[in-house]
């Protein structure tokens, strides 16, 4: 058995922070954690084509703030903001909480690790050689 270390846990407090920021007592912890998992699963499935890098969740006493870091905010917001309203209503119904969604644009998606990996995977699925895909992304990141 290997002795693997979580890449996020290893960097926690140095150059990474938690993906969820909230505190709960023992009776509410499982419910909040399950809601976080449901929110992330729903958003990653729904916003598959929106180049979502990360989803941050912050809870206060009255509402839940969901911050979506994306390279394509127009895809998430939709025409006139109707897409984001649909997502907000569906999430509120899913987790039975008041949800507020914020969109943060990633200015340079070529240097975001999650987006680069997603792009390479998409190229490989499209039939491009993995070496060519890797070298192209390295060139773009430089």
């Amino acid at each position: 058995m290997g002795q693997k270390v979580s890449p996020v846990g290893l960097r926690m407090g140095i150059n990474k922070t938690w993906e969820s920021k909230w505190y709960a007592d023992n009776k509410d912890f499982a419910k909040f954690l399950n809601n976080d998992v449901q929110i992330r699963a729903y958003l990653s499935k729904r916003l598959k084509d929106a180049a979502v890098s990360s989803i941050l969740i912050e809870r206060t006493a009255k509402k839940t703030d969901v911050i979506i870091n994306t390279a394509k905010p127009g895809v998430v917001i939709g025409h006139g903001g109707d897409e984001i309203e649909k997502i907000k209503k569906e999430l509120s119904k899913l987790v039975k909480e008041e949800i507020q969604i914020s969109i943060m644009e990633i200015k340079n998606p070529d240097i975001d690790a999650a987006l680069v990996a997603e792009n390479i995977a998409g190229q490989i699925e499209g039939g491009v050689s993995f070496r060519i895909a890797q070298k192209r992304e390295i060139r773009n990141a430089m």
Side-chain angles (χ1 to χ4, degrees):
M1 183 183 298
Q3 297 177 353
K4 296 171 183 67
V5 177
S6 168
V8 175
L10 182 67
R11 293 165 176 85
M12 195 68 64
I14 299 168
N15 62 0
K16 287 201 181 290
T17 60
W18 295 100
E19 294 283 311
S20 296
K21 295 179 182 172
W22 48 267
Y23 176 79
D25 293 328
N26 287 340
K27 62 183 174 99
D28 292 332
F29 185 83
K31 182 183 95 169
F32 287 166
L33 185 62
N34 189 29
N35 286 351
D36 282 7
V37 170
Q38 287 179 335
I39 288 170
R40 284 201 173 86
Y42 173 79
L43 287 176
S44 62
K45 186 175 84 171
R46 175 81 187 258
L47 303 174
K48 189 172 34 179
D49 300 329
V52 174
S53 172
S54 65
I55 299 167
L56 306 172
I57 299 173
E58 297 179 2
R59 292 181 193 279
T60 60
K62 297 185 193 244
K63 66 180 177 179
T64 302
D65 293 330
V66 178
I67 302 161
I68 302 171
N69 292 318
T70 179
K72 300 176 183 175
V75 174
V76 178
I77 295 170
H79 186 69
D82 59 344
E83 190 69 28
I84 196 77
E85 291 300 321
K86 282 187 213 171
I87 292 172
K88 190 185 296 188
K89 285 179 188 171
E90 291 170 4
L91 274 178
S92 294
K93 192 164 66 171
L94 178 72
V95 297
K96 298 173 182 65
E97 293 177 4
E98 183 182 338
I99 302 282
Q100 175 155 358
I101 298 178
S102 303
I103 312 288
M104 298 291 290
E105 181 182 8
I106 297 173
K107 298 291 184 197
N108 195 351
D110 290 331
I111 59 172
D112 190 279
L115 296 178
V116 170
E118 189 178 303
N119 197 0
I120 291 173
Q123 289 180 32
I124 292 172
E125 287 173 356
V128 176
S129 167
F130 73 93
R131 283 191 179 88
I132 293 172
Q134 282 177 330
K135 289 179 182 176
R136 183 181 303 151
E137 289 302 318
I138 289 170
R139 254 184 275 124
N140 289 344
M142 295 291 199

